[in-house]
Every structure is written in C-alpha cells, then in structure tokens.
Short mmCIF file of all heavy atoms in Angstrom, two decimals:
data_model
loop_
_atom_site.label_atom_id
_atom_site.label_comp_id
_atom_site.label_asym_id
_atom_site.label_seq_id
_atom_site.Cartn_x
_atom_site.Cartn_y
_atom_site.Cartn_z
N VAL A 99 63.69 25.69 -8.61
CA VAL A 99 64.85 24.82 -8.87
C VAL A 99 65.01 23.93 -7.65
O VAL A 99 64.96 24.42 -6.51
CB VAL A 99 66.13 25.66 -9.11
CG1 VAL A 99 67.36 24.76 -9.24
CG2 VAL A 99 65.98 26.53 -10.35
N THR A 100 65.19 22.65 -7.90
CA THR A 100 65.34 21.71 -6.78
C THR A 100 66.53 22.11 -5.90
O THR A 100 67.53 22.64 -6.39
CB THR A 100 65.46 20.26 -7.29
OG1 THR A 100 65.27 19.37 -6.19
CG2 THR A 100 66.78 19.98 -7.95
N LYS A 101 66.38 21.91 -4.61
CA LYS A 101 67.31 22.43 -3.61
C LYS A 101 68.78 22.11 -3.92
O LYS A 101 69.65 22.97 -3.83
CB LYS A 101 66.94 21.90 -2.23
CG LYS A 101 67.56 22.67 -1.10
CD LYS A 101 66.66 22.63 0.13
CE LYS A 101 67.06 23.62 1.17
NZ LYS A 101 66.86 25.01 0.84
N SER A 102 69.06 20.87 -4.31
CA SER A 102 70.46 20.47 -4.52
C SER A 102 71.11 21.16 -5.73
O SER A 102 72.33 21.08 -5.90
CB SER A 102 70.56 18.95 -4.66
OG SER A 102 69.77 18.50 -5.73
N TYR A 103 70.33 21.84 -6.57
CA TYR A 103 70.88 22.53 -7.73
C TYR A 103 70.78 24.04 -7.62
O TYR A 103 71.14 24.77 -8.55
CB TYR A 103 70.20 22.05 -9.03
CG TYR A 103 70.72 20.70 -9.47
CD1 TYR A 103 70.19 19.53 -8.95
CD2 TYR A 103 71.77 20.60 -10.38
CE1 TYR A 103 70.67 18.29 -9.34
CE2 TYR A 103 72.26 19.37 -10.78
CZ TYR A 103 71.71 18.22 -10.26
OH TYR A 103 72.20 17.00 -10.65
N GLN A 104 70.26 24.55 -6.50
CA GLN A 104 70.16 26.00 -6.32
C GLN A 104 71.56 26.60 -6.20
O GLN A 104 72.49 25.94 -5.77
CB GLN A 104 69.31 26.32 -5.09
CG GLN A 104 67.85 25.98 -5.32
CD GLN A 104 66.99 26.15 -4.08
OE1 GLN A 104 67.45 26.55 -3.02
NE2 GLN A 104 65.72 25.83 -4.22
N GLY A 105 71.68 27.85 -6.62
CA GLY A 105 72.96 28.55 -6.54
C GLY A 105 73.85 28.34 -7.74
O GLY A 105 75.01 28.75 -7.74
N ASN A 106 73.31 27.75 -8.80
CA ASN A 106 74.09 27.50 -10.03
C ASN A 106 73.64 28.36 -11.21
O ASN A 106 74.01 28.10 -12.34
CB ASN A 106 73.97 26.02 -10.43
CG ASN A 106 74.70 25.12 -9.45
OD1 ASN A 106 75.91 25.23 -9.29
ND2 ASN A 106 73.96 24.23 -8.80
N GLY A 107 72.82 29.37 -10.93
CA GLY A 107 72.37 30.27 -12.00
C GLY A 107 71.22 29.73 -12.84
O GLY A 107 70.88 30.30 -13.87
N ILE A 108 70.62 28.64 -12.40
CA ILE A 108 69.53 28.02 -13.17
C ILE A 108 68.30 28.92 -13.20
O ILE A 108 67.68 29.09 -14.26
CB ILE A 108 69.22 26.61 -12.63
CG1 ILE A 108 70.45 25.71 -12.84
CG2 ILE A 108 67.99 26.03 -13.30
CD1 ILE A 108 70.38 24.36 -12.14
N SER A 109 67.95 29.53 -12.08
CA SER A 109 66.80 30.44 -12.05
C SER A 109 66.99 31.61 -13.00
O SER A 109 66.04 32.05 -13.65
CB SER A 109 66.56 30.96 -10.63
OG SER A 109 66.12 29.93 -9.80
N LYS A 110 68.22 32.11 -13.08
CA LYS A 110 68.51 33.21 -14.01
C LYS A 110 68.24 32.78 -15.45
O LYS A 110 67.64 33.53 -16.23
CB LYS A 110 69.96 33.68 -13.86
CG LYS A 110 70.22 34.37 -12.55
CD LYS A 110 71.69 34.74 -12.42
CE LYS A 110 71.94 35.30 -11.04
NZ LYS A 110 73.28 35.09 -10.56
N LEU A 111 68.70 31.60 -15.80
CA LEU A 111 68.48 31.10 -17.17
C LEU A 111 66.99 30.92 -17.45
O LEU A 111 66.50 31.24 -18.53
CB LEU A 111 69.22 29.79 -17.40
CG LEU A 111 70.75 29.88 -17.37
CD1 LEU A 111 71.36 28.48 -17.45
CD2 LEU A 111 71.26 30.76 -18.50
N LEU A 112 66.25 30.43 -16.45
CA LEU A 112 64.81 30.24 -16.63
C LEU A 112 64.09 31.57 -16.80
O LEU A 112 63.25 31.72 -17.70
CB LEU A 112 64.23 29.46 -15.44
CG LEU A 112 64.53 27.96 -15.43
CD1 LEU A 112 64.27 27.37 -14.05
CD2 LEU A 112 63.72 27.22 -16.49
N ILE A 113 64.39 32.55 -15.95
CA ILE A 113 63.70 33.84 -16.05
C ILE A 113 64.09 34.54 -17.36
O ILE A 113 63.25 35.16 -18.01
CB ILE A 113 63.93 34.73 -14.81
CG1 ILE A 113 62.84 35.80 -14.72
CG2 ILE A 113 65.31 35.34 -14.79
CD1 ILE A 113 62.82 36.55 -13.40
N GLU A 114 65.35 34.42 -17.77
CA GLU A 114 65.77 35.02 -19.04
C GLU A 114 65.04 34.39 -20.22
O GLU A 114 64.66 35.08 -21.17
CB GLU A 114 67.29 34.90 -19.20
CG GLU A 114 68.03 35.86 -18.28
CD GLU A 114 69.53 35.63 -18.20
OE1 GLU A 114 70.06 34.75 -18.92
OE2 GLU A 114 70.17 36.32 -17.37
N LYS A 115 64.83 33.07 -20.18
CA LYS A 115 64.08 32.39 -21.24
C LYS A 115 62.65 32.91 -21.28
O LYS A 115 62.12 33.21 -22.35
CB LYS A 115 64.11 30.88 -21.01
CG LYS A 115 63.40 30.08 -22.08
CD LYS A 115 64.15 30.16 -23.38
CE LYS A 115 63.59 29.19 -24.40
NZ LYS A 115 64.33 29.23 -25.66
N CYS A 116 62.02 33.03 -20.11
CA CYS A 116 60.64 33.53 -20.05
C CYS A 116 60.54 34.96 -20.58
O CYS A 116 59.64 35.27 -21.37
CB CYS A 116 60.13 33.48 -18.62
SG CYS A 116 59.81 31.81 -18.00
N LEU A 117 61.46 35.82 -20.16
CA LEU A 117 61.40 37.21 -20.60
C LEU A 117 61.72 37.36 -22.08
O LEU A 117 61.12 38.19 -22.77
CB LEU A 117 62.32 38.08 -19.74
CG LEU A 117 61.91 38.17 -18.26
CD1 LEU A 117 62.92 39.01 -17.48
CD2 LEU A 117 60.50 38.71 -18.10
N ALA A 118 62.64 36.55 -22.58
CA ALA A 118 62.96 36.59 -24.02
C ALA A 118 61.73 36.18 -24.84
O ALA A 118 61.42 36.81 -25.85
CB ALA A 118 64.15 35.69 -24.34
N LYS A 119 61.04 35.15 -24.40
CA LYS A 119 59.83 34.70 -25.11
C LYS A 119 58.75 35.77 -25.03
O LYS A 119 58.08 36.04 -26.03
CB LYS A 119 59.33 33.38 -24.51
CG LYS A 119 58.15 32.79 -25.26
CD LYS A 119 58.56 32.46 -26.69
CE LYS A 119 57.52 31.66 -27.41
NZ LYS A 119 57.95 31.28 -28.77
N ALA A 120 58.59 36.37 -23.86
CA ALA A 120 57.58 37.42 -23.71
C ALA A 120 57.84 38.56 -24.69
O ALA A 120 56.93 39.04 -25.37
CB ALA A 120 57.57 37.93 -22.27
N LYS A 121 59.11 38.98 -24.79
CA LYS A 121 59.46 40.05 -25.72
C LYS A 121 59.22 39.61 -27.16
O LYS A 121 58.70 40.38 -27.98
CB LYS A 121 60.91 40.47 -25.53
CG LYS A 121 61.14 41.23 -24.24
CD LYS A 121 62.61 41.53 -23.99
CE LYS A 121 62.80 42.19 -22.64
NZ LYS A 121 64.18 42.21 -22.21
N GLU A 122 59.60 38.38 -27.47
CA GLU A 122 59.46 37.83 -28.83
C GLU A 122 58.01 37.86 -29.31
O GLU A 122 57.73 38.14 -30.47
CB GLU A 122 59.99 36.40 -28.85
CG GLU A 122 59.83 35.67 -30.17
CD GLU A 122 60.12 34.18 -30.02
OE1 GLU A 122 61.09 33.81 -29.32
OE2 GLU A 122 59.38 33.38 -30.62
N ILE A 123 57.07 37.58 -28.41
CA ILE A 123 55.66 37.52 -28.81
C ILE A 123 54.91 38.82 -28.53
O ILE A 123 53.69 38.88 -28.66
CB ILE A 123 54.93 36.31 -28.18
CG1 ILE A 123 54.90 36.41 -26.66
CG2 ILE A 123 55.57 35.00 -28.64
CD1 ILE A 123 54.03 35.33 -25.99
N GLY A 124 55.63 39.86 -28.14
CA GLY A 124 55.02 41.18 -28.00
C GLY A 124 54.28 41.42 -26.70
O GLY A 124 53.38 42.28 -26.65
N VAL A 125 54.63 40.71 -25.65
CA VAL A 125 53.99 40.93 -24.36
C VAL A 125 54.37 42.32 -23.84
O VAL A 125 55.52 42.74 -23.95
CB VAL A 125 54.43 39.83 -23.36
CG1 VAL A 125 53.93 40.13 -21.95
CG2 VAL A 125 53.92 38.47 -23.82
N LYS A 126 53.40 43.02 -23.29
CA LYS A 126 53.62 44.37 -22.77
C LYS A 126 53.93 44.36 -21.27
O LYS A 126 54.64 45.21 -20.76
CB LYS A 126 52.39 45.25 -23.00
CG LYS A 126 52.01 45.39 -24.47
CD LYS A 126 52.95 46.31 -25.20
CE LYS A 126 52.56 46.52 -26.63
NZ LYS A 126 53.46 45.93 -27.59
N LYS A 127 53.32 43.37 -20.54
CA LYS A 127 53.49 43.34 -19.10
C LYS A 127 53.56 41.90 -18.61
O LYS A 127 52.75 41.07 -18.99
CB LYS A 127 52.32 44.06 -18.41
CG LYS A 127 52.43 44.06 -16.89
CD LYS A 127 51.46 45.02 -16.22
CE LYS A 127 50.03 44.64 -16.35
NZ LYS A 127 49.12 45.53 -15.61
N VAL A 128 54.56 41.64 -17.76
CA VAL A 128 54.67 40.35 -17.09
C VAL A 128 54.48 40.61 -15.60
O VAL A 128 55.13 41.50 -15.03
CB VAL A 128 56.05 39.67 -17.33
CG1 VAL A 128 56.14 38.35 -16.58
CG2 VAL A 128 56.29 39.45 -18.82
N SER A 129 53.58 39.87 -14.98
CA SER A 129 53.33 40.03 -13.55
C SER A 129 53.66 38.72 -12.84
O SER A 129 53.86 37.68 -13.48
CB SER A 129 51.87 40.40 -13.30
OG SER A 129 51.02 39.36 -13.75
N LEU A 130 53.71 38.77 -11.53
CA LEU A 130 53.90 37.56 -10.76
C LEU A 130 53.35 37.79 -9.36
O LEU A 130 53.21 38.91 -8.90
CB LEU A 130 55.38 37.16 -10.69
CG LEU A 130 56.35 38.14 -10.03
CD1 LEU A 130 56.46 37.91 -8.51
CD2 LEU A 130 57.73 37.99 -10.65
N TYR A 131 53.01 36.69 -8.73
CA TYR A 131 52.60 36.69 -7.33
C TYR A 131 53.66 35.94 -6.56
O TYR A 131 54.21 34.96 -7.05
CB TYR A 131 51.25 35.98 -7.16
CG TYR A 131 50.11 36.74 -7.78
CD1 TYR A 131 49.68 36.44 -9.08
CD2 TYR A 131 49.46 37.76 -7.09
CE1 TYR A 131 48.63 37.13 -9.66
CE2 TYR A 131 48.42 38.46 -7.68
CZ TYR A 131 48.01 38.14 -8.96
OH TYR A 131 46.98 38.84 -9.53
N SER A 132 53.94 36.40 -5.34
CA SER A 132 54.94 35.74 -4.53
C SER A 132 54.55 35.87 -3.06
O SER A 132 53.46 36.33 -2.73
CB SER A 132 56.33 36.34 -4.79
OG SER A 132 57.33 35.52 -4.22
N ASN A 133 55.46 35.43 -2.22
CA ASN A 133 55.26 35.48 -0.78
C ASN A 133 56.53 36.05 -0.15
O ASN A 133 57.63 35.73 -0.61
CB ASN A 133 54.98 34.06 -0.26
CG ASN A 133 54.73 34.03 1.24
OD1 ASN A 133 55.68 34.06 2.02
ND2 ASN A 133 53.48 33.98 1.63
N HIS A 134 56.37 36.83 0.89
CA HIS A 134 57.51 37.51 1.52
C HIS A 134 58.60 36.56 2.00
O HIS A 134 59.76 36.96 2.13
CB HIS A 134 57.02 38.37 2.70
CG HIS A 134 56.55 37.55 3.87
ND1 HIS A 134 55.27 37.02 3.92
CD2 HIS A 134 57.19 37.14 4.98
CE1 HIS A 134 55.16 36.32 5.05
NE2 HIS A 134 56.30 36.38 5.71
N GLN A 135 58.28 35.28 2.21
CA GLN A 135 59.29 34.31 2.65
C GLN A 135 60.33 34.01 1.56
O GLN A 135 61.43 33.56 1.85
CB GLN A 135 58.63 32.98 3.02
CG GLN A 135 57.66 33.05 4.18
CD GLN A 135 57.02 31.70 4.39
OE1 GLN A 135 57.64 30.80 4.94
NE2 GLN A 135 55.79 31.55 3.94
N LEU A 136 59.96 34.25 0.32
CA LEU A 136 60.81 33.86 -0.82
C LEU A 136 61.78 34.98 -1.19
O LEU A 136 61.78 35.49 -2.31
CB LEU A 136 59.92 33.47 -2.01
CG LEU A 136 58.86 32.40 -1.69
CD1 LEU A 136 57.93 32.19 -2.88
CD2 LEU A 136 59.52 31.09 -1.30
N GLN A 137 62.62 35.36 -0.24
CA GLN A 137 63.50 36.52 -0.42
C GLN A 137 64.50 36.36 -1.57
O GLN A 137 64.78 37.32 -2.28
CB GLN A 137 64.24 36.83 0.89
CG GLN A 137 63.34 37.44 1.95
CD GLN A 137 62.70 38.74 1.50
OE1 GLN A 137 63.37 39.64 1.01
NE2 GLN A 137 61.38 38.84 1.64
N THR A 138 65.03 35.18 -1.76
CA THR A 138 65.98 34.97 -2.87
C THR A 138 65.28 35.19 -4.20
O THR A 138 65.81 35.88 -5.08
CB THR A 138 66.58 33.55 -2.80
OG1 THR A 138 67.21 33.39 -1.53
CG2 THR A 138 67.61 33.34 -3.90
#
C-alpha cells in the first residue's frame, strides 16, 4: 500500500480478498516470502 494510505486497513482488505479467493477455489496452503525488515 502506498505510504500516504498506510494505516487505513487497506492491507487487511487485500489479504482478506486473497484468502477468501484461495478458500473459494479450494487452495490447501498459502505461502509467502518476506524480509525481517517488514515487521508491520
């Protein structure tokens, strides 16, 4: 989410959309790669 819009719950809506779609199509496992700097 672009910096000026962070803190408005946008990431939550995006992750919820992704997880809802994953469940809808029968996905068993969702993985991700990240970096320790990205604490939020």
Side-chain angles (χ1 to χ4, degrees):
V99 175
T100 194
K101 197 150 193 68
S102 59
Y103 283 85
Q104 290 174 1
N106 291 298
I108 295 170
S109 292
K110 291 177 185 151
L111 294 174
L112 285 164
I113 200 169
E114 287 169 4
K115 182 68 171 182
C116 289
L117 295 178
K119 184 63 170 183
K121 288 175 184 166
E122 176 191 319
I123 63 173
V125 172
K126 301 285 183 249
K127 179 167 68 176
V128 178
S129 63
L130 62 88
Y131 292 95
S132 192
N133 181 280
H134 70 277
Q135 297 177 77
L136 306 173
Q137 287 301 310
T138 303

